[in-house]
Amino acid sequence: MTTATEQAESQGLLLQLLDPANRADPYRLAAQFREHGPLRLPEARLTVFSSYRDCDDVLRHPASASDRSKSALARAEVESQTQALTEAGVVLPPPVPPGFLFLDPPDHTRIRKLVSKAFAPRVVNALAPEITALVDGLLDQIAGKGRFDVVEDFAYPLPVAVICRLLGVPIEDEPQFNHASALLAQALDPFVAFTGSPSEGMEARMQAGTDLRAYLHGLIERRRSRPGDDLMSALIAVEESGDQLTEEEIVSTCVLLLVAGHETTVNLIGNAILAMLRQPSQWAALGGDAARAPAVIEETLRYDPPVQLIARFAADDMAAGGVEIAGGDVIILLLAAAHRDAAEFDRPDVFDPDRQVLRHLGFGRGAHYCLGAPLARLEAGAALSALTARFPRARLDGEPQYKANVTLRGLSTLTVTV
């Protein structure tokens, strides 16, 4: 039985996690979550895990679902929001299917199988020359200025150009989806699960989603008449075992890949740059040996993960971390805490690409393991090795600033002198 004092303490920790003031250093707070152990709010039907073993167990558990419709809280939230917006006179858009990341089998399996063709090793490796050329062009621009903003001048333009190339989205249309993408990334933050109500800006996020989908519907129409060598064209044409995707499913898939396909890689590149500049020996080591890039990337994914938490939903009654979880409950996995767990990692608060065992949950586990992991590794490896080699004397020129996002935590700006 959870006491009122324990409930208040748990709620306090959750509110601190949402507070943008803690975005620059969430790891002090992560340690408090680990010390607390599994955090339960029975009235909110919420359980939060923070140890590595517990998070790993939940990701592997057969009753751990990604479909929000299996959450009692999510269903109630949708009903409440629909009623509130209707009473306010807001015209609601028609319901649309979620991206496959938020589906469970068999729909997840069907759509992922189709999309995975665009991320096959042969396809990803074929992008290497284009990625190298993009990186070199960005570095040339930086060299001409003598200083640069990590996000605006480097970490953002590369993944956006690559995902646009993969999907078939014209890079000149980037301003049309940049703002929408940023708003939709905020929608992943667990405000409802933690507080019972959404954060401010819900209508703006809904409008951003509607606008982005409208843009993609228009692009699909152009691709129908003039298909190209890209994923959107392939999805339009595909038919496997007589099961063709609907246009709404194609749009949802493109929204997911457009947002997740660049937002997380931007954060990965930015976080790695910051970690190495704060530890100049690591910057110099990578600059002198590009073969160190994979270790730097994996340690960044552990030490300062671009995805700080993952939501799951109990499809049935289940047990994890010594806790009984009722079907329909929300489960939050704090990767930022799990990756600094001293029970699993030696000197967990130290950035050390040379540690003997490099592992993390940054790309998930099981059926929902990140489809774009090989591409993210390729992009980040090319970017970080070239940057450190080109500018061996780079140094920080100010403190990092962060976006407000809790889930997809990343830099908003960081100035570096080269």
Side-chain angles (χ1 to χ4, degrees):
M1 186 72 178
T2 306
T3 67
T5 301
E6 290 171 333
Q7 287 266 75
E9 178 186 348
S10 298
Q11 191 67 53
L13 280 174
L14 296 178
L15 292 178
Q16 287 186 64
L17 192 65
L18 295 176
D19 187 348
N22 289 311
R23 212 63 72 238
D25 180 16
Y27 301 105
R28 172 193 56 79
L29 190 59
Q32 294 182 46
F33 275 94
R34 284 195 309 273
E35 292 167 4
H36 185 285
L39 184 154
R40 305 196 67 196
L41 287 174
E43 292 185 4
R45 303 196 64 175
L46 169 68
T47 302
V48 180
F49 291 108
S50 53
S51 77
Y52 186 94
R53 292 289 175 91
D54 289 350
C55 290
D56 188 49
D57 286 348
V58 171
L59 288 173
R60 297 174 185 272
H61 200 290
S64 175
S66 296
D67 185 349
R68 292 180 74 250
S69 69
K70 294 176 181 175
S71 159
L73 177 70
R75 292 194 297 270
E77 172 199 347
V78 170
E79 292 175 4
S80 175
Q81 289 182 3
T82 300
Q83 181 179 349
L85 291 171
T86 301
E87 291 175 354
V90 176
V91 179
L92 297 177
V96 295
F100 66 89
L101 179 63
F102 308 106
L103 293 172
D104 294 315
D107 286 330
H108 171 265
T109 308
R110 172 174 59 89
I111 299 176
R112 182 185 172 104
K113 182 180 179 181
L114 298 174
V115 176
S116 65
K117 295 177 180 180
F119 294 91
R122 172 184 56 81
V123 178
V124 170
N125 292 334
L127 290 170
E130 187 172 345
I131 290 172
T132 298
L134 286 167
V135 170
D136 289 343
L138 293 171
L139 295 182
D140 288 343
Q141 295 176 30
I142 290 170
K145 297 192 296 184
R147 67 205 302 264
F148 72 107
D149 181 83
V150 165
V151 178
E152 181 179 356
D153 298 326
F154 192 64
Y156 178 78
L158 173 63
V160 165
V162 172
I163 199 63
C164 284
R165 163 70 181 82
L166 261 181
L167 284 175
V169 174
I171 188 62
E172 58 268 23
D173 289 353
E174 182 266 344
Q176 293 189 47
F177 62 79
N178 181 4
H179 180 63
S181 177
L183 286 174
L184 292 175
Q186 294 173 11
L188 295 173
D189 292 346
F191 276 88
V192 174
F194 287 5
T195 69
S197 59
S199 62
E200 295 181 1
M202 181 180 67
E203 289 187 36
R205 290 192 294 273
M206 289 178 58
Q207 187 60 52
T210 299
D211 292 345
L212 182 54
R213 295 187 74 90
Y215 164 76
L216 290 169
H217 275 295
L219 195 54
I220 286 173
E221 286 308 305
R222 283 148 53 189
R223 285 286 176 270
R224 287 192 192 281
S225 57
R226 299 178 61 185
D229 180 23
D230 54 71
L231 177 59
M232 183 179 290
S233 298
L235 291 177
I236 292 169
V238 76
E239 185 172 359
E240 286 197 1
S241 302
D243 182 14
Q244 193 169 10
L245 287 167
T246 67
E247 182 164 319
E248 290 296 350
E249 287 177 325
I250 295 174
V251 170
S252 293
T253 299
C254 291
V255 169
L256 171 64
L257 295 176
L258 201 57
V259 177
H262 84 267
E263 190 82 23
T264 50
T265 307
V266 172
N267 294 351
L268 171 59
I269 294 172
N271 293 356
I273 290 172
L274 177 60
M276 289 190 291
L277 286 174
R278 283 176 165 170
Q279 203 167 321
S281 62
Q282 295 294 346
W283 184 276
L286 179 57
D289 181 8
R292 289 178 58 83
V296 169
I297 291 166
E298 301 310 309
E299 177 65 348
T300 301
L301 286 161
R302 181 203 69 83
Y303 175 78
D304 198 10
V307 180
Q308 295 262 301
L309 59 87
I310 295 176
R312 287 290 185 265
F313 311 98
D316 297 298
D317 292 350
M318 58 182 281
V323 175
E324 296 293 330
I325 303 169
D329 282 9
V330 179
I331 307 168
I332 299 293
L333 310 177
L334 295 184
L335 302 190
H339 287 177
R340 301 286 187 103
D341 189 345
E344 295 295 319
F345 303 102
D346 179 45
R347 298 170 298 116
D349 294 319
V350 175
F351 178 74
D352 180 14
D354 295 309
R355 61 178 66 246
Q356 288 188 335
V357 180
L358 284 168
R359 68 180 186 279
H360 55 79
L361 303 173
F363 288 132
R365 279 279 191 269
H368 286 280
Y369 184 82
C370 179
L371 193 62
L375 179 59
R377 287 175 167 130
L378 177 64
E379 291 179 62
L384 297 171
S385 57
L387 178 68
T388 53
R390 182 78 170 268
F391 304 117
R393 290 184 292 277
R395 65 182 187 277
L396 291 172
D397 187 16
E399 288 299 309
Q401 302 298 314
Y402 286 85
K403 292 172 286 191
N405 301 17
V406 180
T407 303
L408 301 184
R409 172 183 171 271
L411 295 164
S412 61
T413 183
L414 176 67
T415 305
V416 172
T417 300
V418 299

